[in-house]
Amino acid sequence: MYSMLLRLLVVGLSVQSSLGAVAAAAATSNSTSIKATSSSSTIKSSSSSIKATSSSSTIRSSSSSIIATSTVTSAASQPTFNQSDPVLDGTRTEDVLADIKGIYGLPGQEEVIKNATLNATDIQGDILIGMKKKLELFYFFHINEPKSFKKKLHVNVVPRITNTLQLLNTASQPVVCLNVAFSQTGLTTLGITGNLMDTPFSQGQTADASNLGDPGTSNWVPEFIGTKIHGVWLIASDTASNIAAMVNWLEALFGTDMTRIYTLQGNIRPPPFDGHEMFGYLDGVSQPAVPGFTINPVPGQQLINPGVILVGEPGDTLIGSRPAWAKDGSFLVFRQLKQLVPEFDQYLLANAPAQPSSYSLQDRADLLGARIMGRWKSGAPTDLTPLVDNSGLGANAALNNNFDFDHTGYNINTNQKYCPFASHIRKSRPRKDLNTPLNAIMRAGIPYGPELSSAELATNTSSTDPDLERGLAFVSYQSQIDLGFRFIQRQWANNVNFAPGKTPQPGYDLIFGQNNGGPRWMSGADMSNPSWILNMFTEFVISRGGEYFFSPSITAIRDVISV
């Protein structure tokens, strides 16, 4: 089995190499681009910009969004496309993925090859890797000329799509990682009519806004409203110039066949906050273990069937009901979540319980934040260390998930001493509260926007400058949106009665939960007063919209979608 999969890897790389040779021969026919030149390219926005040149480029990490118009430059000003690129075809010497303490490590290539239960050379790389990217650009596009787009996708892009196995070794990682996913309208535009049997995906996220708890689309980025977005390029690397090189390459390749609709630049936070989301809490701690990929699960890690994440694999409850080409693809949920950081910090100070009386106000505010989240900022769970943070525990991936909310001598349905029923981590993964093997998701998001400015720190108020918007580019993968993200959002985070059978009533997840813009509350925030209700009348996490996509296998892109 080991040798068979090793040969499969070699064959897969050979196919990519052959396609690359075909692409090089066809390169001269692809000579148009959108707003790109061989010397420079600028993407303008109300909130940020990418400016690239042949020798250097800069992506402002302060970007909250990059909005592009559909204006197309004249053919005379557009560069000749070349399949080869000195940046993209370079050799990587440093791991493109971040090494974050407290987050599960990834398996080695040899381990995945020997296991041989998943075709890691055919699964797009972002799906199982999780939240370890240093820089990632989400490039949302519209397809203007389907026939030409498909040909270029087949000949030129498929050889550059990054698979899972590539990412598990620095030597095989590309300089710039590239994945792609399509919306329902994107697949329809490309002539793909097979029913993927996912209603939220087929209708689009705009139609689902109120169901998710958004207050309509009034706070949404305008480009997300409707169904004009056909797909998203996921472009990840470790330098801004590398990201810009891929943007220029794609735009030169597709020219007028594709219109850039919107982009959002994600960036890992600078040390010592790397791996932490904008409120300051370590993120991505509790990812599920997927057999065939997660070789050595750590204590407390949820073990799920691969079909919970990947279509057509064991555990997919619709296995055999969807088109064969959908196997090893996954539904991608994208949500842009704006975070009001100084306001959230002030809320914690203003609502910090009086106990423990020996604590300073800041310590009591930190305790309140930890109980709302269910973890301290280090990643240490309150279920294991309820009164003080423990950075050593938070940084230890073998220990920081080894809990289940149950404690000897306490009733799990009434005890909130260690972790409130409505805490974010308990609402999103209930552990012993409720066995939920079908509702897991693989999260692959990344923060966006800058650190707090001196003016914001001085006024305790988020700037209204679009360049200074910050938050989370939320990404989740699942084989069914209704069982994954959507279920967690609607049935758990937004449901005041989840988990069931609890006394007192849990309330909302105050981080992730929504009430269509209305007030929210939770019980258990004050460990010394279980009956106390913490009210939240302001949303500190604001939905800016998003879309539902399908991330197909590389074989499906090559043999079905692009032909």
Side-chain angles (χ1 to χ4, degrees), residues 102-390:
I103 306 297
Y104 309 142
L106 297 174
Q109 281 184 340
E110 297 296 316
E111 294 176 303
V112 174
I113 292 173
K114 287 179 181 178
N115 184 277
T117 57
L118 291 178
N119 187 355
T121 63
D122 201 30
I123 300 167
Q124 291 202 61
D126 194 51
I127 296 173
L128 298 178
I129 294 298
M131 306 172 73
K132 289 179 173 287
K133 290 147 292 190
K134 298 175 182 176
L135 289 174
E136 182 172 23
L137 181 71
F138 300 91
Y139 183 116
F140 302 93
F141 61 88
H142 180 90
I143 300 167
N144 302 315
E145 299 291 342
K147 184 176 180 180
S148 180
F149 181 93
K150 289 172 72 166
K151 178 180 179 181
K152 294 170 184 177
L153 177 64
H154 182 85
V155 175
N156 303 97
V157 177
V158 168
R160 290 206 185 277
I161 296 177
T162 308
N163 67 52
T164 300
L165 200 64
Q166 281 178 275
L167 289 175
L168 300 181
N169 189 303
T170 302
S172 60
Q173 290 173 350
V175 172
V176 186
C177 304
L178 178 67
N179 276 190
V180 65
F182 299 95
S183 67
Q184 177 64 76
T185 54
L187 290 178
T188 302
T189 297
L190 294 173
I192 307 302
T193 57
N195 184 3
L196 293 178
M197 301 186 69
D198 194 285
T199 299
F201 169 75
S202 64
Q203 294 181 347
Q205 197 174 123
T206 298
D208 212 20
S210 62
N211 296 324
L212 298 177
D214 289 9
T217 58
S218 58
N219 294 323
W220 280 35
V221 173
E223 285 74 12
F224 284 130
I225 300 174
T227 59
K228 56 184 170 290
I229 291 176
H230 287 166
V232 57
W233 301 111
L234 289 81
I235 306 170
S237 192
D238 50 0
T239 70
S241 57
N242 288 345
I243 297 281
M246 181 62 82
V247 169
N248 290 343
W249 185 86
L250 287 168
E251 292 187 338
L253 167 63
F254 286 107
T256 56
D257 298 339
M258 175 185 78
T259 296
R260 181 179 62 241
I261 298 294
Y262 177 75
T263 64
L264 182 69
Q265 177 62 53
N267 46 269
I268 194 170
R269 295 182 65 194
F273 308 113
D274 45 329
H276 296 243
E277 51 73 55
M278 285 297 182
F279 288 149
Y281 299 89
L282 184 65
D283 203 4
V285 179
S286 184
Q287 298 278 44
V290 178
F293 179 74
T294 311
I295 309 302
N296 297 302
V298 299
Q301 190 172 11
Q302 184 182 22
L303 184 64
I304 62 171
N305 287 316
V308 175
I309 306 299
L310 297 166
V311 170
E313 293 289 349
D316 175 5
T317 61
L318 294 176
I319 194 167
S321 301
R322 295 188 273 206
W325 61 262
K327 183 179 180 181
D328 285 338
S330 188
F331 290 97
L332 185 167
V333 171
F334 181 89
R335 298 271 282 170
Q336 182 174 332
L337 302 176
K338 177 180 178 180
Q339 293 176 256
L340 301 180
V341 177
E343 290 85 351
F344 180 71
D345 290 343
Q346 289 302 301
Y347 171 84
L348 297 179
L349 288 167
N351 290 276
Q355 300 296 325
S357 59
S358 60
Y359 281 26
S360 69
L361 175 60
Q362 185 61 62
D363 287 342
R364 286 184 280 117
D366 291 343
L367 175 59
L368 177 60
R371 291 184 66 79
I372 291 172
M373 186 65 70
R375 290 188 187 271
W376 297 89
K377 289 186 176 181
S378 73
T382 62
D383 204 53
L384 296 180
T385 177
L387 285 174
V388 293
D389 198 353
N390 183 330

Side-chain angles (χ1 to χ4, degrees), residues 378-433:
S378 73
T382 62
D383 204 53
L384 296 180
T385 177
L387 285 174
V388 293
D389 198 353
N390 183 330
S391 59
L393 174 60
N396 191 331
L399 298 177
N400 63 16
N401 270 299
N402 194 16
F403 63 95
D404 61 8
F405 304 127
D406 197 12
H407 296 267
T408 302
Y410 292 90
N411 186 333
I412 194 172
N413 290 322
T414 59
N415 172 42
Q416 298 193 81
K417 176 181 178 181
Y418 294 89
C419 186
F421 302 142
S423 70
H424 173 62
I425 70 163
R426 197 162 182 171
K427 282 276 193 175
S428 57
R429 188 193 157 193
R431 300 178 190 249
K432 201 170 181 178
D433 283 330

